[in-house]
Amino acid sequence: MKSLISAEAWNGQVRAVRRARVTPGQGCIIEQTPNGCILSGAGKIRWRHPWQVSAQWNVDPTIQPLGGQWTATLWPGFVNAQDVTIEVEVASKPNVQKQPVQVPLTEEDPPLLILSGFRDPAAPGLPQASDDGDIIIPPGEGYPKFFDSLGVVPASNGGTGLGALDSTPDPTRTRQIRGCDIALVTPRLATHQQVDVLDPGTDAQSVSISTVFDNTALINAKSAHWLIATSKWEPPMEPTDLDRLMGTAVEPQTDEIKIATVWLVSPPDVGSDAQPDETWTAYPQHFVFWNLNYASRAQISAAPPQPLKLVTGLALGVADTLINGLLSPLNDANAEVSAMLNAANFSGRYWSI
């Protein structure tokens, strides 16, 4: 007796077989045989993940007093399958002033990202004053524990009083450390709130909060996504609920994510004010290892609520003006709450699969 298999069952078995099938990869070769798969591969191979950073010292006699600068190249990564760029200055012709150009990471000659600013994560923060009038010295930012074994100077513990600026040195740890962050930037549509002043007598409302769209950064961007280097990256400041309640919310026109930090470690016995040169050693620390997807929330704001009015026509309309004036505080409060609850939100998110 012949039995038939349904298309659904057949497709399920095919998917199960495909999931169990060995697939080749970088440095890995397979050979299908009736008795199974023969797997062979390279004994040693270096795998480069997207956004992998390589830092190097570039000699440039025009840069004084160091005679060069630290730069970085990145193994190509993609956002929404689009190229990511680095802005470099190039001259189209000899003896012509250089112009900034966005160069994709996929170029045969990879663009160099200049690491132009460094921070000292071991140094204490800026002095602050407490409510009691005491001087408070915040502790140093710190760095990955890996660098302790290299003899990097300890981070400042901070404390109270100017004496906290002077830390007890450790004679076994005399190497200095500097950091520079690399971030990915994506321009986007943004909004800001606008407050219009009205006449309480005729409009029954003294303020109206509306939303204005701003695409300046988006239309002026020379690339959909690009990389920057900064001494210490901070995420763009998003408006708070209080900002939206007061009608002062202003969205940033870019979304950003930190890709990596390049740590530079000095030779032993270097001063705390030393600048990184060719004698220092670079150690990249990565935060993103895969290609990215990106999307904006594109949450459109609701229209401002219509103010509550009471039209009676009493006393030749004079009563209407008085009533509208009494309703104005109520309508103002309603407009503020509505602006907070129904505010636009175009902030984006990055994710990987």
Side-chain angles (χ1 to χ4, degrees), residues 171-327:
T172 64
R173 300 172 63 178
T174 60
R175 296 179 185 266
Q176 298 294 326
I177 186 171
R178 302 291 184 266
C180 180
D181 293 333
I182 298 175
L184 173 68
V185 181
T186 300
R188 64 171 171 89
L189 185 67
T191 65
H192 67 267
Q193 290 177 318
Q194 177 175 291
V195 178
D196 297 314
V197 180
L198 306 177
D199 184 355
T202 58
D203 300 315
Q205 191 173 351
S206 59
V207 294
S208 175
I209 303 176
S210 57
T211 300
V212 179
F213 293 88
D214 195 344
N215 63 348
T216 305
L218 190 61
I219 62 176
N220 292 331
K222 297 180 180 179
S223 174
H225 315 275
W226 65 86
L227 294 168
I228 61 170
T230 179
S231 59
K232 183 173 177 57
W233 176 81
E234 297 288 348
M237 185 67 69
E238 294 288 344
T240 64
D241 288 340
L242 181 59
D243 295 331
R244 295 186 173 94
L245 182 64
M246 300 299 294
T248 58
V250 178
E251 285 189 318
Q253 297 188 47
T254 60
D255 285 314
E256 302 178 15
I257 183 174
K258 183 161 69 170
I259 297 294
T261 296
V262 178
W263 300 103
L264 294 173
V265 177
S266 74
D269 302 318
V270 172
S272 59
D273 58 348
Q275 294 297 318
D277 58 17
E278 72 276 9
T279 63
W280 293 49
T281 305
Y283 296 88
Q285 179 187 10
H286 298 92
F287 300 98
V288 181
F289 297 87
W290 307 104
N291 294 322
L292 295 172
N293 293 294
Y294 168 83
S296 171
R297 291 184 179 181
Q299 179 179 321
I300 306 295
S301 61
Q306 293 297 320
L308 178 64
K309 292 183 179 181
L310 182 60
V311 180
T312 63
L314 296 176
L316 300 178
V318 176
D320 293 343
T321 301
L322 296 176
I323 295 173
N324 288 338
L326 295 174
L327 291 174

Side-chain angles (χ1 to χ4, degrees), residues 129-154:
S130 67
D131 295 337
D132 299 331
D134 297 328
I135 302 297
I136 299 176
I137 308 299
E141 171 194 348
Y143 45 77
K145 194 171 181 59
F146 163 79
F147 294 107
D148 290 345
S149 60
L150 299 183
V152 171
V153 294

